[in-house]
Amino acid sequence: MKKQDAPIRIKRAYDPPDPSDGTRALVDRLWPRGLHRQKAALTCSQKDIASSPELRERFGHDQERYGEFARRYDAELAGNQNEVGRLEDLVKQGPRTLLYAAHDEAHNHALVLADYLRNHMERGHETRPL
């Protein structure tokens, strides 16, 4: 596997680190409750790439609102190209694991973010202004 084809993984921040995680980035705006920094084994934290507080509150982890949340978060990401670019730069260096704290593994912002990154990188979009 070429470095630029390195996978983007997602994982709950509470799950134990694994050597296959590669670079571990917390992508939540808030620090996960009860998680000790040493146990998190973070490489970095990118809280500014998380959904806005307003969008997060509107979503409220309600599965019925997930589709709308995903569309709105995609729009926020499209307007946050500096942070998207930082994350893409790290993904291109090797395996990347996005860590999140939500309980719902099927409806959370890290899934939307990972899909956005994969699609964005496949299309070869320039992420940073010249």
Side-chain angles (χ1 to χ4, degrees):
M1 176 186 311
K2 296 181 290 184
K3 284 189 175 187
Q4 67 262 24
D5 294 334
I8 301 169
R9 301 176 181 124
I10 58 171
K11 189 176 193 180
R12 287 197 74 225
Y14 302 100
D15 293 341
D18 186 275
S20 67
D21 289 344
T23 302
R24 293 170 51 89
L26 180 65
V27 294
D28 272 352
R29 196 165 292 279
L30 304 173
W31 186 262
R33 272 186 210 162
L35 182 64
H36 292 81
R37 292 192 186 271
Q38 286 180 316
K39 282 193 172 188
L42 295 182
T43 305
C44 64
S45 176
Q46 284 191 252
K47 68 179 186 175
D48 292 335
I49 202 161
S51 59
S52 67
E54 299 80 17
L55 184 55
R56 188 186 78 235
E57 288 172 16
R58 182 181 179 114
F59 170 41
H61 299 284
D62 181 343
Q63 293 179 13
E64 292 179 16
R65 295 182 185 155
Y66 185 71
E68 176 188 358
F69 168 79
R71 285 187 298 279
R72 289 178 183 239
Y73 186 33
D74 272 345
E76 285 185 0
L77 290 168
N80 193 2
Q81 291 303 296
N82 284 335
E83 289 299 316
V84 170
R86 283 183 58 214
L87 204 48
E88 283 185 359
D89 289 347
L90 290 171
V91 168
K92 290 174 184 175
Q93 294 174 20
R96 176 76 164 182
T97 301
L98 308 179
L99 303 174
Y100 66 96
H103 293 285
D104 189 339
E105 295 180 12
H107 304 93
N108 65 69
H109 76 285
L111 290 168
V112 178
L113 175 58
D115 285 343
Y116 182 90
L117 286 169
R118 287 181 194 112
N119 291 334
H120 201 265
M121 292 173 75
E122 283 175 10
R123 291 189 305 254
H125 286 218
E126 183 63 38
T127 58
R128 302 220 177 165
L130 299 175

